[in-house]
Amino acid sequence: MDQIKLEENFQAKLDRNEMIEPKDWMPENYRKHLIRQISQHAHSEIIGMLPEGNWITRAPSMRRKIVLLAKVQDEAGHGLYLYSAAESMGISRDELLDQLHTGKAKYSSIFNYPTLTWSDIGAVGWLVDGAAIMNQVMLQRTSYGPYARAMVRICKEESFHQRQGFEIMQVLAKGTPEQKAMAQDSLNRWWWPSLMMFGPADDNSPNSANALKWKIKRESNDQLRQRFVNQTVPQVEYLGLTVPDKDLKWNEEKKGYDFGEVNWEEFYNVIKGNGPCNKERLSAKVQSHKDGAWVREAANAYAAKKNKVAAA
Amino acid sequence: MTNQEALVNYCLRLADNNLILGHRLSELSGKGPFLEEDIATTNIALDLIGQASSLLQYAAEVEGKGRTEDDLAFLRGEREFYNTLLAEQENKDFAVTIARQFLTDAFDYFFYDELKKSADARLAALAEKSHKEITYHLRHTSKWMERLGEGTEESHRRIQDAVDNLWRFTGELFEMNEVDEILLKEKIAVDLNVVKIQWDKLVAEVFANSGISIPENVFMQRGSREGKHTEKLGYLLAEMQHLHRAFPGVQW
Amino acid sequence: MTMSTAQDTQGLLWEVFVQSKPGQPHKHSGSVHAHDKEMALQNARDLYCRRSEGTNIWVVPASEIVASSPEDIGSFFEPSNDKVYRHPTFYHVPEGITHM
């Protein structure tokens, strides 16, 4: 079959909402796009463990300690599901990690912000996971089968993540004035970076057109961002906190909120590596990878010895 | 010492072991040698901290002074913790983590098996649940002892070093005092002499399997039964308790 | 498919099949990396059975799984489409006859 015919068949399949499976024919750009997106997503889960992991040993109660530990562990699991989905496209985990450690691969910029106080753990769970879930719910219907299946499992497991964050915020917002101030400060610092998580505005998003055509994404960055604001503002009000946006206003006509312009300069700056924690996040991962090298070697050597004995 | 005081102390001993060791493992979140092992380590940490939580709740109830599990975890000082010296030792490298965990798992495996027979129904029930979790931990860590012992030259050296360094803290695992005497009479406590025989045998077996030698002529450190610890514990508690202590009496 | 350039080892890729309840068939849950069989089994348990998902686990090296190809669809599966006599609805059961 010639290239044009193959591409037509491929697009027809997508238009019938059929899934693409690892052995199916796919355009090289589709494969590249997905490897990039899935691995970025996986790296985000793994790097995302760090800002929250920063508070595991300082969680202020037994309950919070257990929940946070379980939550951060889930992120590791989600990274793993996603690495497996990427591997089904013919790239190894070694390569994927190598891309992360050498700075070739990107991950969600949100994790380059620091968790300075305990309430940041609440804000991250509530806002960052909330924004991530919005994206992930959509991706359960993404066109690549292994990616979609990983997302279904992830969404199921994530359902408690946002709730635990909101619960933390709720306790703080209804607590002492000091606790409430801590919660407001976290909201102030995490609100805008959370809106940035949906990516550049639609008219400035080079990869979006293909992603939509190939049914990798089913909604645009701006659509998702708008939905997030609409859903989250009432939650802020419930907490008795204030959204740090003077332009935020209900728009009856569009049945949604108008909101201020995201600081795109900051967004691109963090992507370029100038966020408050870019260096720390990456070097932490590189360090633990290095520290673990002898363990992986040992496990490999042990397995080789056992196989030799079994074969003899 | 009253029976009630003895039981509170006994529960704290068990709870603190789980809490402090679970805390040490929780420090490793995101730092595992590979993703799967990161997840496995956290599973063990979650089991341990969960066990600690149940035991602290029970200690608080038996004590009857209106303290909560959080009061016990976050408001006791360095001299009021009764975890073993072994549990509080720092992670250093994966070999130390595994060796510390294996030596503890081997103890807990036999200890909680005995505790299932406790005349104290609550402890017996907790032991029943804990023993299942520990059975898995032991399977996990004894296999890693073998992988590291039989892996590469480097892994062998590291695991042997870890064992050599930690061995001095294993003597007091089996130490019994007035608390044990009182509770043994009530058939609540476990006779640690019984555990010691089984522990020696299992450790020797796993070491032999892993090419690890048992350290000889080691002077055994002690003190945790009286709340006398190594210097490491103070730092651990400072980190664990600071936030809770910084805002006295609030909800979290 | 490119070869790995990294000089490292993450172990082999294994596929995990979990039985959710006794008597149920094992279903594919996902994959894990592991260096040996016992590690594969434990990693599968630690990853895929954290929320009471299972009663039994199979792990299989991914490289040992033989799969049919998308090109096989025609020859493998379509020939069964017209074998309607294999399905009970092909047969007429007279009214009044039950338990059949």
Side-chain angles (χ1 to χ4, degrees):
Chain A
M1 233 186 293
D2 62 29
Q3 189 73 13
I4 296 170
K5 188 81 191 140
L6 282 167
E7 283 192 22
E8 274 174 17
N9 283 351
F10 177 79
Q11 192 60 45
K13 208 166 164 183
L14 293 178
D15 294 340
R16 290 194 302 270
N17 279 324
E18 284 177 23
M19 293 258 184
I20 306 301
E21 294 297 336
K23 286 186 161 187
D24 291 351
W25 185 89
M26 59 188 86
E28 202 41 39
N29 283 339
Y30 176 84
R31 183 191 300 277
K32 274 193 193 142
H33 184 108
L34 268 171
I35 289 181
R36 190 177 50 83
Q37 180 171 335
I38 300 173
S39 61
Q40 274 185 19
H41 198 159
H43 299 325
S44 299
E45 298 280 356
I46 299 306
I47 297 280
M49 295 168 72
L50 299 173
E52 289 179 284
N54 185 36
W55 281 89
I56 289 174
T57 55
R58 294 178 289 171
S61 73
M62 291 293 283
R63 177 181 151 94
R64 295 284 171 228
K65 195 179 185 68
I66 290 173
V67 170
L68 183 58
L69 188 53
K71 195 219 163 202
V72 174
Q73 185 200 38
D74 271 353
E75 313 295 1
H78 298 168
L80 209 157
Y81 303 154
L82 289 162
Y83 281 132
S84 302
E87 282 176 86
S88 72
M89 303 203 98
I91 184 164
S92 71
R93 194 192 286 179
D94 283 338
E95 283 175 281
L96 292 164
L97 290 176
D98 199 51
Q99 289 174 358
L100 175 67
H101 296 151
T102 54
K104 264 183 252 162
K106 298 263 179 274
Y107 55 85
S108 182
S109 280
I110 190 87
F111 302 118
N112 290 319
Y113 290 86
T115 49
L116 301 178
T117 60
W118 169 251
S119 53
D120 284 2
I121 298 308
V124 169
W126 168 42
L127 299 174
V128 176
D129 283 68
I133 288 166
M134 201 137 278
N135 205 21
Q136 290 175 167
V137 164
M138 170 189 73
L139 288 171
Q140 291 183 97
R141 295 179 295 130
T142 192
S143 60
Y144 185 58
Y147 192 21
R149 289 191 284 275
M151 290 323 303
V152 169
R153 184 173 272 275
I154 289 172
C155 285
K156 213 161 96 188
E157 296 187 354
E158 288 252 343
S159 51
F160 90 83
H161 292 185
Q162 197 189 7
R163 286 184 190 191
Q164 67 90 31
F166 191 70
E167 195 185 85
I168 290 173
M169 293 302 276
Q170 211 179 320
V171 172
L172 295 174
K174 293 189 188 338
T176 63
E178 264 177 308
Q179 284 178 306
K180 188 170 176 180
M182 197 198 278
Q184 181 65 54
D185 174 58
S186 293
L187 174 58
N188 293 348
R189 283 182 290 111
W190 290 93
W191 175 259
W192 290 106
S194 300
L195 295 195
M196 293 176 197
M197 284 178 71
F198 297 98
D202 291 350
D203 49 17
N204 203 9
S205 177
N207 297 318
S208 278
N210 274 340
L212 288 167
K213 183 181 93 183
W214 288 327
K215 315 255 169 163
I216 293 172
K217 288 178 68 135
R218 287 168 182 269
E219 284 169 290
S220 76
N221 296 353
D222 285 335
Q223 279 173 320
L224 289 168
R225 187 165 17 243
Q226 178 70 55
R227 185 171 324 133
F228 176 75
V229 172
N230 291 352
Q231 286 189 8
T232 310
V233 171
Q235 296 167 3
V236 179
E237 285 165 358
Y238 174 87
L239 293 173
L241 301 177
T242 312
V243 177
D245 177 359
K246 58 177 175 27
D247 299 320
L248 185 85
K249 212 174 83 210
W250 177 254
N251 179 334
E252 182 59 32
E253 205 174 313
K254 72 171 187 188
K255 299 276 176 216
Y257 286 91
D258 292 331
F259 52 96
E261 180 74 11
V262 171
N263 182 347
W264 294 115
E265 199 189 322
E266 177 183 328
F267 174 76
Y268 288 111
N269 238 326
V270 180
I271 288 185
K272 263 186 258 160
N274 299 325
C277 298
N278 290 57
K279 293 216 165 27
E280 287 80 356
R281 298 295 184 241
L282 205 54
S283 63
K285 281 331 285 184
V286 170
Q287 190 59 47
S288 49
H289 187 73
K290 273 189 195 157
D291 291 345
W294 69 269
V295 180
R296 297 189 296 274
E297 268 168 41
N300 216 36
Y302 171 85
K305 274 184 203 169
K306 289 282 145 177
N307 284 341
K308 219 166 158 188
V309 172
Chain B
M1 185 182 276
T2 65
N3 285 11
Q4 185 196 20
E5 283 164 352
L7 184 56
V8 171
N9 184 278
Y10 200 69
C11 290
L12 287 177
R13 211 194 266 178
L14 307 185
D16 291 349
N17 272 338
N18 289 324
L19 177 58
I20 299 303
L21 186 54
H23 185 93
R24 280 291 184 225
L25 293 179
S26 80
E27 294 171 358
L28 293 167
S29 169
K31 302 193 177 97
F34 51 100
L35 259 180
E36 282 82 354
E37 187 56 29
D38 203 298
I39 290 167
T41 304
T42 302
N43 272 343
I44 298 178
L46 282 168
D47 285 344
L48 293 179
I49 299 173
Q51 291 167 17
S53 173
S54 307
L55 285 159
L56 286 176
Q57 280 171 30
Y58 188 43
E61 282 171 40
V62 175
E63 187 189 52
K65 289 182 185 162
R67 291 206 281 183
T68 65
E69 62 167 317
D70 284 339
D71 294 339
L72 291 174
F74 295 96
L75 297 175
R76 277 183 298 149
E78 291 86 345
R79 297 277 282 105
E80 299 167 280
F81 270 78
Y82 297 100
N83 59 277
T84 61
L85 304 179
L86 180 62
E88 72 206 28
Q89 296 310 305
E90 290 168 312
N91 296 317
K92 291 209 180 95
D93 69 4
F94 186 71
V96 171
T97 303
I98 289 296
R100 184 187 61 203
Q101 193 62 40
F102 167 73
L103 294 169
T104 307
D105 291 343
F107 175 89
D108 283 351
Y109 179 79
F110 297 115
F111 177 85
Y112 282 98
D113 201 30
E114 288 294 314
L115 192 66
K116 286 192 221 167
K117 296 179 248 167
S118 173
D120 184 297
R122 185 80 167 266
L123 280 183
L126 286 173
E128 189 78 40
K129 181 172 175 289
S130 300
H131 190 257
K132 285 181 191 151
E133 296 175 344
I134 293 155
T135 303
Y136 183 77
H137 304 170
L138 179 62
R139 178 169 170 171
H140 188 77
T141 52
S142 47
K143 194 69 195 177
W144 268 113
M145 291 298 285
E146 198 181 321
R147 286 191 196 102
L148 298 183
E150 298 281 296
T152 60
E153 264 176 51
E154 181 179 5
S155 70
H156 180 85
R157 175 178 57 75
R158 283 179 186 260
I159 193 69
Q160 185 67 58
D161 280 356
V163 166
D164 291 348
N165 278 320
L166 294 174
W167 197 255
R168 66 185 191 277
F169 302 118
T170 56
E172 65 153 19
L173 298 180
F174 306 98
E175 195 178 304
M176 292 191 278
N177 61 13
E178 194 191 347
V179 170
D180 301 78
E181 268 172 47
I182 293 171
L183 298 178
L184 272 171
K185 267 186 220 141
E186 304 288 320
K187 296 196 178 358
I188 291 173
V190 169
D191 182 351
L192 297 181
N193 294 320
V194 173
V195 176
K196 170 94 169 106
I197 296 165
Q198 294 168 304
W199 186 87
D200 282 340
K201 187 162 168 275
L202 178 71
V203 169
E205 258 172 43
V206 171
F207 279 21
N209 227 358
S210 315
I212 299 169
S213 26
I214 296 178
E216 282 168 20
N217 302 321
V218 174
F219 182 85
M220 291 294 178
Q221 298 295 328
R222 62 167 302 282
S224 75
R225 298 286 193 255
E226 292 106 55
K228 287 190 252 173
H229 291 272
T230 60
E231 289 177 343
K232 317 280 189 251
L233 183 69
Y235 289 94
L236 185 153
L237 294 181
E239 185 172 342
M240 185 173 91
Q241 297 180 337
H242 100 273
L243 179 60
H244 189 95
R245 284 180 184 268
F247 294 81
V250 306
Q251 294 286 309
W252 293 104
Chain C
M1 318 233 167
T2 50
M3 286 294 290
S4 170
T5 50
Q7 299 293 310
D8 199 358
T9 169
Q10 293 281 328
L12 289 176
L13 186 67
W14 303 68
E15 297 301 331
V16 179
F17 300 83
V18 175
Q19 182 189 44
S20 60
K21 283 189 197 109
Q24 294 292 307
H26 288 64
K27 269 174 69 176
H28 185 235
S29 285
S31 331
V32 288
H33 279 251
H35 296 82
D36 57 59
K37 291 177 188 176
E38 174 68 15
M39 197 195 287
L41 197 58
Q42 292 188 13
N43 288 351
R45 178 265 188 193
D46 280 320
L47 187 63
Y48 291 105
C49 299
R50 285 176 294 148
R51 288 172 162 83
S52 326
E53 289 105 329
T55 49
N56 193 269
I57 303 174
W58 293 344
V59 284
V60 187
S63 58
E64 297 289 320
I65 290 182
V66 184
S68 64
S69 297
E71 303 86 71
D72 296 332
I73 285 185
S75 63
F76 265 52
F77 307 111
E78 281 172 24
S80 73
N81 289 354
D82 63 356
K83 311 290 193 292
V84 283
Y85 47 80
R86 291 195 200 274
H87 300 280
T89 46
F90 181 71
Y91 302 92
H92 175 73
V93 178
E95 252 179 66
I97 297 293
T98 56
H99 303 296
M100 190 175 276

